[in-house]
Amino acid sequence: MTQREIRNEIFKLLFEHELMTTDLLERHKEVLDGLDISKSKKEFFNNYILKLNEHKKEIVDEINKNVKGWSYSSLGNIEKVILQMSFYEILIEKIGEEIAINEAVELAKTYGDENTKGFINGILANLIKK
C-alpha cells in the first residue's frame, strides 16, 4: 500500500467520524487492525490519527482563520476533512507544503466535486502565504 493509499484510508476514517461522529480512537484501531500493511505504515497511520486528533482544535481554529467568507462549520464534510489533513501536515508535521497541497488536491479530485479542488487549493495558498 502506497503512502497515498494510506492517506485515502485516513481520509475515509476521518470522513466517517465527521459524518457519523463515531469514536475516532476506537474506530481507528479497528481500521488499522484490518489493514494489511507494514509496521512502519501502521505507525504512520496510527501517529497521524492520534496527533491530528490531539491538535484538532488548533487545526480547526487555523482553518477558520484561512477560509475567507466561510466558517469551518459551514464547510462540507469532504472539505473539512481534506483541510484538517492538509493543515495538520503543514502546521503540525511540517511536511513540505508542495507535498501536502498536492495530496490535498488529489483527495479533492477523488472525493469532491468540480469546485472542491480549486477551493482547497485557494485556502492552502492563503495559509502558506502567511
Side-chain angles (χ1 to χ4, degrees):
M1 193 173 258
T2 66
Q3 203 76 346
R4 180 165 286 162
E5 291 169 330
I6 298 285
R7 276 190 179 85
N8 274 313
E9 293 301 318
I10 291 168
F11 172 85
K12 291 176 195 175
L13 175 62
L14 293 172
F15 181 75
E16 174 188 300
H17 173 67
E18 201 64 45
L19 193 62
M20 300 171 38
T21 61
T22 56
D23 181 332
L24 180 63
L25 300 181
E26 182 179 312
R27 185 73 181 109
H28 112 273
K29 289 180 191 257
E30 294 170 3
V31 171
L32 190 58
D33 289 343
L35 293 175
D36 185 23
I37 55 177
S38 69
K39 183 179 178 184
S40 65
K41 298 229 185 219
K42 283 189 179 205
E43 287 175 9
F44 172 79
F45 183 98
N46 188 53
N47 289 334
Y48 198 113
I49 296 297
L50 294 177
K51 287 174 78 177
L52 188 147
N53 189 57
E54 176 185 339
H55 294 278
K56 186 168 181 183
K57 183 183 179 336
E58 172 187 343
I59 291 166
V60 169
D61 289 345
E62 285 300 316
I63 293 170
N64 263 319
K65 290 177 189 174
N66 285 277
V67 289
K68 308 282 188 229
W70 294 81
S71 68
Y72 179 81
S73 62
S74 67
L75 299 174
N77 290 326
I78 290 170
E79 291 79 8
K80 285 179 182 177
V81 173
I82 294 171
L83 289 171
Q84 283 176 38
M85 291 175 70
S86 52
F87 273 59
Y88 163 75
E89 290 182 3
I90 292 168
L91 299 174
I92 307 300
E93 285 300 316
K94 309 291 188 211
I95 291 175
E97 294 162 353
E98 289 179 8
I99 294 168
I101 291 170
N102 184 54
E103 293 299 325
V105 167
E106 289 302 316
L107 286 169
K109 285 183 198 174
T110 302
Y111 297 106
D113 64 26
E114 66 273 0
N115 299 319
T116 304
K117 178 179 98 171
F119 181 74
I120 296 292
N121 200 30
I123 293 169
L124 295 176
N126 286 337
L127 173 66
I128 62 171
K129 283 179 188 174
K130 295 179 179 181

